[in-house]
Amino acid sequence: PAQAGYIQAAGPLGLPPIDGTDLPMNPVETLLTESDNLTSLQSYLLSEEDKHPDATGRFTWILSAISLSTKFISDKVRRARLQDVLGSLGSQNVHDESQQKLDVIADEALIRCLRSRNSVAIVASEENEEPIIVENYNQGDQRPYVVLFDPLDGSSNLDTCCGIGTIFSVLEHDRRSNNPKESVLQPGYRQVAAGYVIYGSSTVLVMTTGSGVQMFVLDPSIGAYMLVNENVQIPTAHKSYSVNEAYIESFPKSYQNYLHYAHKNGYSSRYVGSMVADVHRILVKGGVFLYPPTEKAPEGKLRLLYEANPMAMIIEQAGGKAYTGTQRTLELQPTEVHQRVSVLLGSSDEVDKVLSFLE
Ligand code: AHG
Ligand code: MN
Ligand code: MN
């Protein structure tokens, strides 16, 4: 008979429970506490896969590549100043911005990990002028993926120890197109997953596959991302904006009017200058993030495919809104890989407030 303190488990494969054994099964009492979190990103993804009978695991492999490469990048970021990874490379990327060593290290780590997954057909990143076709991808794969990323966002903040991050977007490869670029140029509503990792006071991975937003924290002692919030919701009624206000004179008048309104109505302002850090704060606390058109960057500065779109998907999935100023960001048809766009995203009430000034 089962001992007191133990419950009987059902037998495997629908067989009757194993009776008449003294072996302990499923102890009722436990020394683990609520804070002993044992749901990792991997176990979360595998349990999600179980819910979809036609899942093949190919998609889970992609997130595992992102997980592994961002742990590697996180380690490099944590070892900056101890190891020689800081400073400029002396080269420029496609945007004529100076490349930091860590920009390139992060880019190479992501590409190397993603390349080893044969369901990835194309990768494209901020640091590479053209999308890269993965030579060993499985041509027989009916639904290969395209992965777009900003390997290190906010890298100019590296030297100052501020939060920086990696932003990623996953699309299905459009096999009908002969030109791989066309497959990259899909509107954001077609993303099958999006997210970012912030290397801040801890390393946090925030992601969505289209059914809510999940947040994981890297536990450095066991080297795994652990689930801390399964359904992140962006708060409302938070009077806070995040914008590079030094450019106010070159913003369109409508944005200036919103900021003047905010000044007179008890708002606070926070701006790091790393999109990942600024958007993460908005996701957690509420408010609005803005990068409007300026005289220097009339289309806006941020990149549609690997900055604005993945962040827009996260914010919408968390109950917020994301606009270019004139339309919903996720509906914009891209025309170029490194296209820039104006960004307005955050709590639904505050985005509506800004939009009321833009009309
Ligand atoms: P990156 O480091 O990937 O080039 O991105 C920098 C971006 C973004 O992170 C941030 O929101 C923005 O630049 C800040 O620009 P300003 O310095 O013009 O405010
Ligand atoms: Mn960036
Ligand atoms: Mn970058």
Side-chain angles (χ1 to χ4, degrees):
Q3 296 172 8
Y6 294 87
I7 55 168
Q8 281 188 317
L13 304 171
L15 298 173
I18 307 162
D19 259 340
T21 171
D22 288 335
L23 293 176
M25 288 178 284
N26 298 343
V28 169
E29 290 184 11
T30 170
L31 293 181
L32 298 181
T33 65
E34 286 288 309
S35 66
D36 288 312
N37 180 344
L38 287 173
T39 307
S40 66
L41 173 64
Q42 192 189 21
S43 53
Y44 176 80
L45 292 172
L46 291 174
S47 71
E48 285 300 296
E49 222 177 75
D50 268 354
K51 293 180 196 161
H52 300 96
D54 52 343
T56 58
R58 295 152 50 260
F59 179 67
T60 302
W61 269 110
I62 293 180
L63 287 172
S64 106
I66 290 170
S67 162
L68 180 57
S69 44
T70 57
K71 284 179 203 170
F72 176 86
I73 299 165
S74 179
D75 178 61
K76 291 287 175 204
V77 170
R78 303 289 173 222
R79 298 192 59 75
R81 279 164 287 273
L82 299 170
Q83 253 181 7
D84 177 30
V85 291
L86 286 185
S88 161
L89 260 188
S91 52
Q92 311 284 113
N93 66 13
V94 275
H95 317 284
D96 266 345
E97 293 157 351
S98 103
Q99 279 182 310
Q100 306 284 310
K101 279 184 210 162
L102 261 180
D103 281 324
V104 177
I105 291 171
D107 192 49
E108 288 180 359
L110 279 151
I111 292 173
R112 193 185 291 184
C113 283
L114 286 163
R115 264 198 165 145
S116 67
R117 313 301 199 233
N118 64 6
S119 54
V120 179
I122 301 171
V123 294
S125 96
E126 183 189 5
E127 305 304 329
N128 298 287
E129 188 152 7
E130 297 290 341
I132 299 169
I133 318 266
V134 178
E135 67 284 350
N136 61 337
Y137 100 87
N138 178 2
Q139 299 280 344
D141 196 326
Q142 287 307 305
R143 282 170 41 222
Y145 293 100
V146 177
V147 186
L148 315 172
F149 51 88
D150 178 353
L152 207 56
D153 174 67
S155 54
S156 65
N157 274 323
L158 255 173
D159 288 348
T160 59
C161 254
C162 283
I164 51 176
T166 297
I167 312 175
F168 62 90
S169 161
V170 185
L171 295 160
E172 278 183 0
H173 176 37
D174 185 353
R175 293 176 63 91
R176 289 163 306 178
S177 64
N178 296 324
N179 180 354
K181 251 193 195 170
E182 274 174 35
S183 203
V184 169
L185 301 179
Q186 299 183 55
Y189 68 80
R190 294 241 186 92
Q191 292 171 109
V192 292
Y196 61 83
V197 174
I198 174 166
Y199 314 107
S201 55
S202 54
T203 296
V204 175
L205 184 151
V206 175
M207 61 158 235
T208 179
T209 53
S211 47
V213 174
Q214 295 81 43
M215 189 184 288
F216 300 83
V217 176
L218 180 60
D219 182 337
S221 60
I222 57 177
Y225 283 110
M226 307 307 291
L227 182 67
V228 294
N229 189 342
E230 204 171 340
N231 183 22
V232 180
Q233 290 288 316
I234 179 168
T236 53
H238 186 63
K239 289 179 163 191
S240 177
Y241 64 85
S242 184
V243 69
N244 192 335
E245 205 152 3
Y247 305 153
I248 189 166
E249 297 302 327
S250 82
F251 291 159
K253 196 87 192 131
S254 47
Y255 287 92
Q256 296 181 9
N257 290 340
Y258 166 74
L259 291 169
H260 292 147
Y261 162 87
H263 296 165
K264 290 184 198 129
N265 285 277
Y267 280 60
S268 75
S269 146
R270 296 280 184 279
Y271 191 71
V272 172
S274 294
M275 187 191 202
V276 166
D278 288 313
V279 172
H280 186 68
R281 192 185 49 252
I282 299 287
L283 180 71
V284 171
K285 300 227 175 199
V288 70
F289 172 85
L290 301 156
Y291 205 114
T294 58
E295 272 155 31
K296 195 174 148 205
E299 307 297 323
K301 175 187 179 187
L302 298 173
R303 275 54 64 105
L304 174 62
L305 291 181
Y306 42 82
E307 291 180 321
N309 270 344
M311 289 308 198
M313 184 174 182
I314 289 281
I315 291 293
E316 284 197 2
Q317 285 289 320
K321 292 186 175 177
Y323 281 79
T324 63
T326 52
Q327 71 177 118
R328 187 175 159 235
T329 303
L330 295 181
E331 286 172 9
L332 180 62
Q333 173 62 53
T335 52
E336 290 185 42
V337 178
H338 300 288
Q339 179 173 345
R340 296 175 190 269
V341 70
S342 159
V343 172
L344 152 60
L345 58 79
S347 310
S348 54
D349 56 345
E350 204 52 41
V351 170
D352 285 342
K353 172 67 76 189
V354 180
L355 288 173
S356 74
F357 283 86
L358 303 190
E359 273 155 19

